[in-house]
Amino acid sequence: MSFAPLETSASPPQALPVLDWTHRLTQLGSRFFTPLQPTPVAAPRWAARNNDLRTELGWPDELFDDEHLQAFAGNALMVGSQPLATVYSGHQFGQWAGQLGDGRAIWLGEAQSAQGPQEIQLKGAGRTPYSRGGDGRAVLRSSIREYLCSEAMHGLGIPTTRALCLVASPEPVRRETIETAAIVARVAPSFLRFGHFEHFSAQGDTDSLRTLADHAISHHLPECKSRAALWQGNVYAALLDEVQERTARLQAQWQAVGFCHGVMNTDNMSFLGLTIDYGPFQFMDGFDPGHICNHSDHQGRYAYGRQPNVAYWNLYCLAQALAPLIDDHDMTLQVLEGYKTLFPRFMGDAMRAKLGLTGALASESARQADWTLVEDLMQILASERTDYTLFWRRFSEAVAAGKADMDCHASRAMTDTEFPVTAREAWQSMDDLFIDRARWQAWLARYDERTVPAQWPAMGQQMLRTNPKFVLRNHLAEIAIRQAQAGDFSEIETLHNLLKSPFDEHPGMQAYAALPPDWAGQLEISCSS
């Protein structure tokens, strides 16, 4: 089988493996998208190929042969692909922005896989009718960040779009300076956003809104049909309920791992509760609830501590969009109330797990007592800007070392032969993270009272599988970017191998889990990232 070169490409036809395309989105009709072809780039080369994902999806080895490079560069089309760009609208930084759409992402189609149908997009593949004056391109810098972070989030067990491969090109792209182009091929069961529904609701096009909602229910969220029993048989209320629950769970996972998205506009919110659109994101270094990772977010709307409330605000916008279908104002508000219960529950469970407190609680008062313990700890971390990832990993290691070792560290009553040096060092490393050590030790005494000391080693082992050793810190991504800009893509592969299993020790890679260098604090990530 062959693929068809684009009319603007000089590439000859070449043999390509055939993916089993389904293209259910195209059945919605022309109101939902514009068919178009990607814009070719000059001299493409592979920057990264995610063989783990390709294998998981059951797609053939040949997909990453050099002859397929042209297809992932946007210079040719696989036979059966039906490229298009979808239209959506949305709220950006709290203001209605009107019509938006896929401005630099081109949907290649939907292909069958071992994990069910998967949509494939090329991000950075050229201008579309929705580019709003932009060039439709992505730069190598931002593309590396998306490739690595989407896979890092997957390694952490957080729902996300996935990155299949990364193609680089020397073609110039102007942002703040002249940079070079890149294209990320990303994969998800669906790229539907809140903004897709806002678009048709704002236009008063209830027929299209219903068509889109029915598509989402039939093909992506069939559980809504049974969930409707909770809402007097109203399947659209059940749809909103399913989305708000997925969103609440996702927000708890982001907060627990210290992830800042940076641009939580409604058009950047996945209808399936996936992390989507990696731009000015950051995993926090020093813990700061007010941390703003996006240099373009001058008002701090999307600061770390505000993310859960912004998600609720976005859900309210989605509820307004779905209101013509739900057709019951009181029921719509009742559905939204679920977020106010679910997010605190998910967040509490996530933080209890980070502390090793995974057992069932007998009462709501016990749950509140645990949350008070969490809040007091977070206040300590915030007051000292303690490194978030390093704290949780060291604490996990120290708890795994056992209660007796903590007592030994505190009292210095035992001899060096009564416990391993590594255990003593584990508890010393905890003290080293704090200036006000008395305040930390006071909190630790409360943790001691809450837990069963004999169970600490087992708890610690569970915590080590909950609190990652490696996250994609900004400076690690920056090092990979600088090397790639010099033509060396090896650091991308190194980071990908670390981040796909972030809870493992990875001997010899300790430097990737260390405190960030001083220059890391000077990095600025903006919407152009």
Side-chain angles (χ1 to χ4, degrees):
M1 185 64 67
S2 63
F3 74 80
L6 299 180
E7 294 179 2
T8 52
S9 171
S11 303
Q14 303 175 42
L16 283 181
V18 176
L19 293 177
D20 184 9
W21 302 98
T22 57
H23 302 314
R24 293 175 297 185
L25 184 63
T26 63
Q27 299 169 17
L28 297 180
S30 60
R31 290 170 294 180
F32 298 87
F33 56 82
T34 299
L36 80 166
Q37 294 180 336
T39 304
V41 292
R45 62 180 294 194
W46 292 115
R49 285 168 279 189
N50 190 348
N51 278 298
D52 293 328
L53 176 56
R54 181 192 54 74
T55 301
E56 290 173 30
L57 296 175
W59 290 345
D61 296 349
E62 292 81 4
L63 199 64
F64 287 161
D65 284 353
D66 284 344
E67 60 205 39
H68 302 96
L69 176 60
Q70 300 299 325
F72 286 112
N75 292 0
L77 296 178
M78 294 185 227
V79 167
S81 174
Q82 296 185 21
L84 56 85
T86 66
V87 62
Y88 51 80
S89 297
H91 289 81
Q92 298 191 328
F93 291 90
Q95 302 297 318
W96 177 246
Q99 179 179 301
L100 302 167
D102 292 326
R104 58 176 174 169
I106 295 180
W107 189 87
L108 295 184
E110 182 183 48
Q112 295 289 357
S113 80
Q115 297 182 357
Q118 300 289 318
E119 297 180 3
I120 307 173
Q121 277 189 349
L122 296 184
K123 184 174 180 179
R127 187 176 287 112
T128 80
Y130 314 113
S131 296
R132 295 187 297 165
D135 57 19
R137 290 298 186 194
V139 297
L140 181 61
R141 165 176 50 94
S142 63
S143 301
I144 289 172
R145 284 171 57 82
E146 171 143 359
Y147 180 88
L148 288 174
C149 196
S150 57
E151 291 308 295
M153 294 292 267
H154 178 72
L156 291 166
I158 299 175
T160 179
T161 59
R162 302 289 302 277
L164 183 63
C165 60
L166 174 63
V167 173
S169 165
E171 188 164 307
V173 178
R174 177 174 290 278
R175 292 296 182 262
E176 285 88 350
T177 61
I178 297 295
E179 302 186 52
T180 57
I183 300 98
V184 176
R186 57 185 187 179
V187 176
S190 174
F191 288 97
L192 281 177
R193 306 153 182 267
F194 288 16
H196 282 102
F197 297 84
E198 286 187 284
H199 177 75
F200 294 106
S201 183
Q203 290 192 332
D205 187 351
T206 303
D207 289 343
S208 294
L209 180 65
R210 190 182 307 277
T211 296
L212 187 61
D214 290 345
H215 167 84
I217 294 167
S218 296
H219 299 305
H220 302 297
L221 299 172
E223 53 267 56
C224 294
K225 296 175 183 177
S226 58
R227 195 179 190 125
L230 301 173
W231 302 103
Q232 302 173 27
N234 191 321
V235 71
Y236 302 114
L239 180 62
L240 178 61
D241 194 20
E242 178 67 25
V243 175
Q244 68 87 13
E245 180 171 337
R246 288 174 178 238
T247 302
R249 189 182 302 276
L250 179 67
Q251 292 305 304
Q253 291 175 295
W254 284 5
Q255 299 300 108
V257 79
F259 176 75
C260 310
H261 184 278
V263 195
M264 286 180 64
N265 299 328
T266 59
D267 57 292
N268 292 338
M269 297 290 291
S270 162
F271 207 66
L272 299 188
L274 308 175
T275 311
I276 191 172
D277 287 345
Y278 292 91
F281 67 83
Q282 184 180 6
F283 288 90
M284 276 193 298
D285 295 323
F287 182 69
D288 175 11
H291 180 69
I292 304 166
C293 71
N294 182 357
H295 187 62
S296 305
D297 184 7
H298 305 297
Q299 303 301 317
R301 177 179 177 83
Y302 299 136
Y304 165 81
R306 294 179 175 177
Q307 291 183 145
N309 285 339
V310 168
Y312 179 77
W313 192 91
N314 290 343
L315 284 165
Y316 190 89
C317 292
L318 177 62
Q320 288 181 311
L322 294 176
L325 303 183
I326 299 173
D327 196 26
D328 187 324
H329 179 72
D330 291 340
M331 181 180 290
T332 302
L333 293 179
Q334 188 178 353
V335 172
L336 286 176
E337 284 296 304
Y339 183 89
K340 298 179 181 179
T341 300
L342 286 174
F343 172 74
R345 177 62 60 93
F346 292 148
M347 188 64 187
D349 289 346
M351 298 307 294
R352 290 181 68 248
K354 291 178 76 67
L355 288 169
L357 308 176
T358 55
L361 289 170
S363 65
E364 188 61 33
S365 61
R367 180 178 292 276
Q368 183 56 49
D370 277 359
W371 183 245
T372 299
L373 191 68
V374 169
E375 284 188 315
D376 291 347
L377 172 62
M378 302 304 273
Q379 289 175 9
I380 296 173
L381 299 184
S383 67
E384 302 208 13
R385 298 294 191 266
T386 307
D387 188 274
Y388 191 74
T389 301
L390 200 60
F391 167 81
W392 286 108
R393 189 66 180 188
R394 286 190 184 181
F395 190 43
S396 303
E397 293 168 348
V399 172
K403 168 66 165 59
D405 300 318
M406 185 192 75
D407 286 345
C408 170
H409 163 67
S411 66
R412 304 285 192 259
M414 294 185 179
T415 68
D416 286 347
T417 60
E418 292 178 279
F419 62 96
V421 172
T422 54
R424 181 181 69 244
E425 291 176 346
W427 283 107
Q428 181 63 56
S429 72
M430 292 306 304
D431 274 3
D432 290 344
L433 292 174
F434 298 96
I435 297 173
D436 188 348
R437 296 187 178 183
R439 186 181 180 190
W440 154 245
Q441 288 289 343
W443 181 90
L444 191 58
R446 292 166 57 196
Y447 179 80
D448 180 15
E449 294 174 358
R450 167 62 180 84
T451 56
V452 179
Q455 296 177 0
W456 277 28
M459 286 170 51
Q461 290 303 316
Q462 182 61 44
M463 291 164 67
L464 289 169
R465 294 189 291 272
T466 303
N467 298 310
K469 182 174 182 177
F470 303 96
V471 296
L472 184 62
R473 294 177 184 265
N474 267 354
H475 76 279
L476 297 178
E478 183 65 19
I479 291 171
I481 289 166
R482 292 176 183 178
Q483 292 187 13
Q485 289 172 334
D488 179 3
F489 302 117
S490 61
E491 190 67 9
I492 299 174
E493 186 67 19
T494 298
L495 284 173
H496 178 242
N497 287 332
L498 279 177
L499 297 169
K500 70 183 182 182
S501 51
F503 305 100
D504 295 347
E505 286 298 322
H506 295 283
M509 308 300 286
Q510 183 61 37
Y512 289 85
L515 285 167
D518 290 342
W519 60 265
Q522 305 304 312
L523 293 173
E524 292 184 348
I525 311 299
S526 67
C527 287
S528 70
S529 303

